[in-house]
Amino acid sequence: MNIRTIRRACQLLLLLSAAGSVSAGTIACVPSPGGAAGSFHWIRRIAIDEHSRTVNMDIVRSRTKDTETMGKMRAELVNMEGTSSGEPVYLFNSIPAAGDEVTNLFKLFKSGEWQLARVGVVFVNKVPALRGVEPTMSFDCKRSDLG
């Protein structure tokens, strides 16, 4: 290898590492095992892609004594605000499927541990009405800056 080839390889490596640091990352969350004993989490996994501004959730669609029917819920990352703690607050809303009447609004934030708050809203004659508020759930989240 000559000096010119080495220099180009170094420039390419610097360019790629700079592009990687600018790109947004992802965060994946699962319910924290430290929650209330016997508590039921209908959300089993949250994956947020900051770059595409999408949120994918694995959820429990229905549950019987012996089985659970799993499903997927897709949401749009509406806002991502930085905080003084260095971790952003994620605001996202579900994208209702045909026939769904409730839009879920979510807030994922770090307060000691990651917390998820959810509010259900139903639209009646294009007017939003509060359907229900769920107590916050604790999650374990891992960040990946690979984008």
Side-chain angles (χ1 to χ4, degrees):
M1 254 190 206
N2 63 26
I3 297 293
R4 188 177 203 164
T5 306
I6 293 171
R7 183 175 295 151
R8 285 190 190 233
C10 288
Q11 289 172 340
L12 180 62
L13 183 62
L14 287 173
L15 180 64
L16 290 174
S17 65
S21 64
V22 171
S23 68
T26 60
I27 185 168
C29 306
V30 294
S32 177
S39 66
F40 171 72
H41 291 286
W42 67 277
I43 299 174
R44 296 297 170 91
R45 183 175 176 276
I46 302 170
I48 300 173
D49 184 335
E50 296 170 354
H51 177 69
S52 66
R53 302 189 67 78
T54 57
V55 180
N56 292 305
M57 294 181 278
D58 295 338
I59 61 169
V60 177
R61 289 253 181 236
S62 64
R63 181 179 184 205
T64 65
K65 182 178 156 187
D66 300 324
T67 62
E68 291 179 343
T69 303
M70 300 300 291
K72 302 244 181 235
M73 180 184 281
R74 190 161 178 256
E76 178 184 8
L77 184 59
V78 177
N79 196 6
M80 184 177 68
E81 296 178 0
T83 62
S84 60
S85 69
E87 292 291 352
V89 173
Y90 297 99
L91 301 173
F92 49 99
N93 62 346
S94 63
I95 300 168
D100 284 351
E101 63 181 40
V102 177
T103 299
N104 293 294
L105 309 172
F106 298 93
K107 179 180 180 181
L108 181 66
F109 59 98
K110 189 159 187 179
S111 175
E113 59 186 350
W114 285 96
Q115 300 286 317
L116 180 72
R118 183 192 72 88
V119 173
V121 176
V122 64
F123 289 87
V124 179
N125 296 327
K126 298 184 181 182
V127 177
L130 184 63
R131 177 82 181 264
V133 177
E134 190 174 277
T136 59
M137 300 187 310
S138 299
F139 279 82
D140 289 331
C141 297
K142 304 247 185 295
R143 179 173 301 287
S144 168
D145 293 326
L146 299 177

